[in-house]
């Protein structure tokens, strides 16, 4: 629900489908499947102290939400795979943008979740 105003600002009416996976992926913390408009978060792929895992899971969720927004609003998103192949995953402009979005929103999202009693 934290992202509701962000979606509204972008004129996006529907949240993505989502799934929590308890499978520990060796390659990813989360992913966005554009053909299904679905976010999957791999909970067991996040490691460290409990508080750090929570921050990382929230960051991953925000990151994948940004991919959903990119998919719906940026016509260039269809070139995501080409950018990753040509530039590498880390230099893919959609990855850079998603990481920046997640970093920018992380602390506010955590505060929101605390204000709703979801986090303590």
């Amino acid at each position: 629900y934290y992202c509701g105003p962000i979606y509204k600002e972008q004129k996006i009416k529907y949240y993505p489908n989502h799934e929590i996976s308890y499978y520990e992926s060796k390659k990813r913390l989360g992913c966005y499947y554009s053909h299904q408009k679905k976010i999957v978060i791999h909970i067991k792929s996040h490691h460290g102290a409990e508080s750090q895992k929570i921050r990382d899971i929230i960051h991953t969720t925000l990151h994948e939400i940004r991919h959903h927004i990119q998919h719906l609003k940026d016509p260039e998103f269809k070139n995501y795979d080409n950018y990753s192949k040509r530039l590498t995953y880390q230099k893919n402009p959609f990855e850079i943008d998603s990481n920046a979005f997640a970093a920018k929103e992380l602390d506010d999202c955590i505060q929101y979740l605390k204000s709703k009693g979801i986090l303590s």
Side-chain angles (χ1 to χ4, degrees):
Y1 293 109
Y2 170 80
C3 291
I6 296 167
Y7 277 100
K8 188 174 183 177
E9 179 183 304
Q10 294 288 325
K11 297 180 173 54
I12 297 172
K13 292 183 180 183
Y14 301 103
Y15 293 110
N17 296 313
H18 57 278
E19 179 183 321
I20 303 299
S21 172
Y22 294 93
Y23 168 75
E24 183 177 359
S25 172
K26 301 273 189 236
K27 294 183 179 181
R28 46 178 72 132
L29 301 173
C31 53
Y32 175 67
Y33 296 102
S34 57
H35 59 284
Q36 296 176 322
K37 296 180 185 162
K38 181 180 181 179
I39 291 171
V40 176
I41 305 300
H42 296 278
I43 297 296
K44 291 189 175 185
S45 296
H46 296 81
H47 301 286
E50 197 66 24
S51 61
Q52 187 60 48
K53 280 198 285 192
I54 290 168
R55 284 184 68 81
D56 291 347
I57 290 167
I58 294 167
H59 185 280
T60 300
T61 303
L62 291 166
H63 176 102
E64 300 307 336
I65 283 170
R66 183 61 176 173
H67 283 321
H68 180 241
I69 294 168
Q70 292 164 339
H71 171 227
L72 296 178
K73 300 309 265 184
D74 189 336
E76 285 297 308
F77 191 77
K78 68 182 182 277
N79 295 316
Y80 175 92
D81 290 335
N82 292 333
Y83 287 134
S84 287
K85 287 177 188 171
R86 196 177 48 163
L87 302 171
T88 73
Y89 174 84
Q90 289 80 11
K91 293 180 182 175
N92 182 324
F94 292 107
E95 289 302 323
I96 292 168
D97 178 66
S98 289
N99 281 322
F101 172 83
K104 176 182 172 284
E105 298 293 334
L106 181 62
D107 289 332
D108 286 345
C109 184
I110 289 170
Q111 285 307 115
Y112 174 84
L113 295 171
K114 286 180 178 180
S115 76
K116 297 297 182 187
I118 297 166
L119 293 177
S120 54

